[in-house]
Amino acid sequence: MVLLNAPLAYAENAADSAWYLLPGVTQTWTDSALKADDGLGGSLKIGKQINPNWDIQLDATYSRFDEDNAAVSGGKYKQTLLGFDALYMLSRENFRPFFLVGLGYARNDVDYNNNWGSLKNSLMANVGVGAQYFFNDRFGFQADLREVWSRAAYRDWK
């Protein structure tokens, strides 16, 4: 599963290592084994610079997808991710590209109409790249592209 995050940032003063808040919108591309359409969701990140090279972020993401099956319609797949990410910052200027790696928890809820609805909780891991751009000391934007792994594949539910 690939997840694109695009939240806006607010920080008291990003330069002084204050905590920052990033509510956002997500676009998710599911893998073919899941049998779900791609979909939109929302996220909330809370982050902090811990040294000149590293930021940490707590991340909560929720996405909801329609079943991708022409014969059966109306089914839903819902995913909630709670994670902890470490961001390796390549710059501390206004434009800040980064690499990220993270671990967390995934709640995958499948409610398809072909009688195999189920809930699966699992560990989650993700890696990605992204960038932050701060317009001034208080406001900014972050976009990232990440690969997320959890036990949510269609074949796992049968």
Side-chain angles (χ1 to χ4, degrees), residues 5-23:
N5 258 315
L8 287 174
Y10 172 80
E12 281 299 317
N13 186 343
D16 72 1
S17 301
W19 287 92
Y20 54 86
L21 181 66
L22 300 114

Side-chain angles (χ1 to χ4, degrees), residues 100-119:
L100 71 88
V101 61
L103 294 172
Y105 163 82
R107 178 181 174 99
N108 299 292
D109 184 6
V110 173
D111 183 18
Y112 291 173
N113 291 333
N114 56 354
N115 298 321
W116 59 272
S118 184
L119 177 68

Side-chain angles (χ1 to χ4, degrees), residues 15 25 28 39 44 52 67 80 94 105 121 134 147 153:
V25 176
T28 305
L44 181 64
E67 179 180 13
T80 304
N94 284 8
Y105 163 82
N121 298 303
F134 279 86
E147 179 78 22

Side-chain angles (χ1 to χ4, degrees), residues 5-78:
N5 258 315
L8 287 174
Y10 172 80
E12 281 299 317
N13 186 343
D16 72 1
S17 301
W19 287 92
Y20 54 86
L21 181 66
L22 300 114
V25 176
T26 62
Q27 169 66 46
T28 305
W29 296 275
T30 60
D31 62 34
S32 61
L34 187 56
K35 309 287 188 210
D37 288 333
D38 302 333
L40 293 174
S43 70
L44 181 64
K45 299 177 184 310
I46 300 169
K48 180 170 181 42
Q49 176 183 330
I50 57 172
N51 68 40
N53 295 100
W54 291 95
D55 277 18
I56 56 171
Q57 289 182 350
L58 300 173
D59 180 12
T61 301
Y62 176 79
S63 299
R64 181 175 170 158
F65 316 94
D66 290 327
E67 179 180 13
D68 182 19
N69 184 341
V72 181
S73 64
K76 298 289 181 197
Y77 166 62
K78 296 164 268 207

